[in-house]
Amino acid sequence: MDIIACLKRVPLTAEAEVKVDATGKGIIKDRLTFDMNESDTYALEQAILTKEKSGGTLTVVSVGYPEAEETLRIALAKGADNAIRVKAEDFDNLDGYMTAQLINLALKDKKYDLVLTGCMATDDYNSQVGIILAELLGITHASFVTKIEIDEGRAQAYRELEGGLLEHLDIQLPALFTIQTGINEPRYASLIAIRKAAKKEITVLGKNELPIDPLANVILDELYPPPVGKRAEIIVGAPDESAGKLAHVLKEKGLV
Amino acid sequence: MTQIMTLVEHRQDSIRDISFETLTMGRKLARQNNGKLTAILLGHETASAAESLKSWADRVLVANHETFKNFNAETYQIALSALLKQEKPRLLIIGHSLCGADLAPALATELSIPFSTDCLSAEIAGDALKIVRQIYDGKLNARLTIRNAATHMITLRSGSCPAEAADLIGTIEKFEPVIASPEYRRFIEYIEAAVGDVDITRADVLVGIGRGIKEQANIAMIDDFAKAINGVLACTRPVVDAGWLPKDRQIGSSGKTVKPKLYIALGISGAFQHTAGMKGADTIIAVNKDPNAPIFNEADYGIVDDLFKIVPVLRNKIGELKK
Ligand SMILES: Cc1cc2nc3c(=O)[nH]c(=O)nc-3n(C[C@H](O)[C@H](O)[C@H](O)COP(=O)(O)OP(=O)(O)OC[C@H]3O[C@@H](n4cnc5c(N)ncnc54)[C@H](O)[C@@H]3O)c2cc1C
Ligand SMILES: Nc1ncnc2c1ncn2[C@@H]1O[C@H](COP(=O)(O)O)[C@@H](O)[C@H]1O
């Protein structure tokens, strides 16, 4: 079984301060840390587990700046055979649609039975690159998948819907699945494997190798902090004081 | 004339709430642009559903076929792409639900319709579409322009255009859809979420923990606290993903929807997929060390601090007040 996994390097913003830069269209990145997108770590693990079971090759692809090669090397250390970086620096207005077009072209001469992506990138919240890619590749897809069983050219895929309801689908391969978090337990790469992966070659493709003028669906006009809605009343003070005040509020409201 | 269309989503024989939100948005856009709103319903035994949609749209376009009983991105895409080629709407709005998000990117790409997902609002601007989305874990909003085209498509985030009932008298029109028997993607069945030992939807007081709990060993302390205030422990998705609490404790769009009298969120950032499940709580308290965490936009009271410092003190103080 030949497998492709798409990996994106993203800033970790859940606990960080995210500030708009002077252009109004970017964020200040110097104090942010970056890592493989969360659901992509699960997609990668699913790819490795599948390869371990049924053999074949695993190719990982990322559209990104040179730093994305760090992410690809982690994947190589965990068990990917080949890695491709598509040069983000060669393409303007890179959005989800353009990203999918670039991955589609980068996969042109590749064989695959299974293509896996994450279900959502935590930087752009798009949940679209995998599904667009499936359409461009001309293969079927299922998104937000939390369980896959593969048997003889077909996959039993389970999508997780609202309320935790599972949708069981029977899908013909080749297919693309966008993987939801929690489907498996992503492994860590060993230090030795990371050292070895540092020496592996990564195929880098840019404008010259990918002869298209990809189209963007959207152009970013402006980034701004979300308008404050019903903002919480912040209770200040040292823990003793703030927690004490909060206890009183709860008591007054008859909640405790 | 400007035609706005929305796709009605249904599951297990009932129309999903998101459908009324897309219809509300569609109606507003249709009015602003002197246009008409069409609701598309692909379903099976659709008579009563179609009837109930009449007041929400100028036209209800219905295809009745057993293939459409359950959502299937493949059969839906085949039917909708044929329909859109005929109808050529100015805009199609689909809910950013787990089914809408599965369908829209493929459908739009097949038809080369420029689109965007998870939109909070949209405005028709000539041949372009201006939209607002939320990015970077909800910490920034983005204003974007979808490139010029005769037709655009968006998926709408739930909760961003609350449903407002209307009193339109829509016409019901049947259409003969292109039917494909699902070849590549067959729907087998729905599997209901497992029922656990506690039902968090019935608790008056819920204490929710998020990734800020850091490790499994820290959960016991919060569980004690929850019990001390007659509450029940609940959590965000990452806590379930890590295997620290069972799935039936998860609050949010892919977990449970709860409406307790009191919800205390500890070390939870407030992603919209989480808040979607707990917005209805009467009183929401958040403890988070990040002053910019989106959870503070949902909470009534907040403390910006380390939860491990706050919880023990809070527990003691509540204990003292109870005496
Ligand atoms: C299709 C889909 C469905 C989803 N469904 C759900 C769902 O049903 N429910 C759900 O919850 N999520 C769901 N998610 C995931 C969601 O997008 C978020 O990733 C998740 O809610 C984040 O959980 P969190 O707040 O625990 O973690 P994080 O976002 O990582 O936040 C952790 C927070 O803890 C704070 N913190 C850290 N340490 C401390 C400390 N010592 N004291 C105080 N604060 C601290 C940090 O400042 C941060 O704000 C879904 C995602 C997708 C794509
Ligand atoms: N630049 C990228 N390079 C490689 N894969 C990507 C890239 N952007 C998105 N993806 C994949 O598509 C998934 C969904 O991303 P998105 O549509 O941006 O939310 C991600 O989880 C990745 O697996």
Side-chain angles (χ1 to χ4, degrees), chain B residues 13-163:
Chain B
D13 300 324
S14 68
I15 297 178
R16 299 193 57 79
D17 290 349
I18 184 74
S19 303
F20 300 105
E21 299 180 17
T22 54
L23 282 164
T24 302
M25 179 190 227
R27 186 172 83 233
K28 289 184 176 171
L29 285 171
R31 293 299 167 267
Q32 279 163 23
N33 294 281
N34 296 318
K36 293 266 191 241
L37 173 64
T38 300
I40 308 171
L41 175 63
L42 304 179
H44 185 226
E45 289 167 2
T46 44
S48 72
E51 199 61 33
S52 72
L53 291 165
K54 269 164 72 175
S55 65
W56 290 85
D58 299 307
R59 180 167 76 131
V60 185
L61 204 49
V62 186
N64 181 9
H65 194 280
E66 60 179 348
T67 324
F68 301 131
K69 181 165 170 55
N70 298 303
F71 170 86
N72 182 324
E74 189 187 344
T75 52
Y76 269 54
Q77 186 177 333
I78 290 166
L80 287 170
S81 83
L83 181 70
L84 292 179
K85 280 183 205 154
Q86 272 177 23
E87 291 282 326
K88 300 189 180 64
R90 178 66 191 80
L91 174 66
L92 172 63
I93 310 169
I94 296 178
H96 192 72
S97 60
L98 289 145
C99 288
D102 193 46
L103 167 72
L107 176 63
T109 300
E110 179 194 339
L111 298 174
S112 298
I113 294 175
F115 73 101
S116 184
T117 43
D118 195 17
C119 299
L120 305 184
S121 68
E123 200 185 306
I124 294 171
D127 290 333
L129 195 76
K130 302 255 177 207
I131 52 157
V132 173
R133 309 182 63 248
Q134 207 157 65
I135 57 176
Y136 295 117
D137 288 304
K139 294 215 166 147
L140 289 180
N141 277 13
R143 244 187 269 286
L144 301 142
T145 303
I146 311 188
R147 71 179 149 86
N148 290 1
T151 299
H152 288 118
M153 197 184 297
I154 59 164
T155 63
L156 176 70
R157 174 180 288 196
S158 72
S160 41
C161 184

Side-chain angles (χ1 to χ4, degrees), chain A residues 39-96:
Chain A
S39 54
D40 301 4
T41 63
Y42 291 90
L44 174 63
E45 180 64 30
Q46 198 62 31
I48 299 168
L49 291 171
T50 311
K51 188 191 120 170
E52 283 172 350
K53 208 169 158 197
S54 53
T57 61
L58 169 57
T59 302
V60 288
V61 190
S62 188
V63 180
Y65 290 90
E67 304 79 33
E69 292 181 19
E70 289 167 30
T71 305
L72 290 170
R73 284 192 195 286
I74 296 290
L76 288 168
K78 289 186 180 186
D81 303 293
N82 311 300
I84 304 170
R85 177 174 76 88
V86 177
K87 287 163 131 177
E89 60 271 30
D90 276 11
F91 302 93
D92 292 333
N93 295 316
L94 194 65
D95 68 346

Side-chain angles (χ1 to χ4, degrees), chain A residues 6-9 37 39-40 43 61-64 94 96 99 103 116-130:
Chain A
C6 301
L7 310 174
K8 186 178 193 186
R9 182 174 181 270
N37 180 49
S39 54
D40 301 4
V61 190
S62 188
V63 180
L94 194 65
T99 301
I103 299 175
L116 301 179
T117 72
C119 65
M120 180 184 86
T122 55
D123 56 352
D124 62 33
Y125 266 61
N126 267 333
S127 291
Q128 55 173 251
V129 169

Side-chain angles (χ1 to χ4, degrees), chain A residues 1-215:
Chain A
M1 172 113 22
D2 294 317
I3 308 167
I4 311 281
C6 301
L7 310 174
K8 186 178 193 186
R9 182 174 181 270
V10 296
L12 304 181
T13 48
E15 300 192 20
E17 190 179 2
V18 186
K19 280 194 167 160
V20 182
D21 69 14
T23 69
K25 297 185 182 189
I27 56 167
I28 299 171
K29 293 192 170 139
D30 37 328
R31 282 160 77 195
L32 295 174
T33 49
F34 287 74
D35 205 345
M36 192 184 299
N37 180 49
E38 188 187 13
S39 54
D40 301 4
T41 63
Y42 291 90
L44 174 63
E45 180 64 30
Q46 198 62 31
I48 299 168
L49 291 171
T50 311
K51 188 191 120 170
E52 283 172 350
K53 208 169 158 197
S54 53
T57 61
L58 169 57
T59 302
V60 288
V61 190
S62 188
V63 180
Y65 290 90
E67 304 79 33
E69 292 181 19
E70 289 167 30
T71 305
L72 290 170
R73 284 192 195 286
I74 296 290
L76 288 168
K78 289 186 180 186
D81 303 293
N82 311 300
I84 304 170
R85 177 174 76 88
V86 177
K87 287 163 131 177
E89 60 271 30
D90 276 11
F91 302 93
D92 292 333
N93 295 316
L94 194 65
D95 68 346
Y97 185 47
M98 197 184 284
T99 301
Q101 291 167 77
L102 292 171
I103 299 175
N104 176 45
L105 208 61
L107 297 181
K108 204 165 161 249
D109 301 315
K110 292 261 175 241
K111 276 186 20 228
Y112 49 80
D113 307 286
L114 193 62
V115 184
L116 301 179
T117 72
C119 65
M120 180 184 86
T122 55
D123 56 352
D124 62 33
Y125 266 61
N126 267 333
S127 291
Q128 55 173 251
V129 169
I131 303 170
I132 302 171
L133 177 61
E135 185 64 31
L136 297 175
L137 292 169
I139 60 178
T140 190
H141 77 271
S143 59
F144 305 101
V145 169
T146 53
K147 188 174 153 193
I148 309 175
E149 291 154 352
I150 292 174
D151 192 23
E152 304 208 354
R154 293 197 81 89
Q156 304 307 305
Y158 298 78
R159 306 184 60 229
E160 197 184 62
L161 306 182
E162 286 81 5
L165 185 74
L166 288 184
E167 180 187 340
H168 174 187
L169 299 170
D170 171 63
I171 288 186
Q172 184 177 320
L173 300 182
L176 183 146
F177 297 117
T178 87
I179 302 296
Q180 174 60 292
T181 58
I183 187 173
N184 51 40
E185 264 181 70
R187 70 193 66 193
Y188 291 95
S190 74
L191 278 175
I192 304 170
I194 290 175
R195 235 175 276 144
K196 274 196 194 153
K199 297 194 200 94
K200 286 200 185 156
E201 203 184 320
I202 291 177
T203 307
V204 179
L205 306 175
K207 249 200 199 114
N208 297 333
E209 296 79 14
L210 301 175
I212 46 162
D213 206 359
L215 203 57

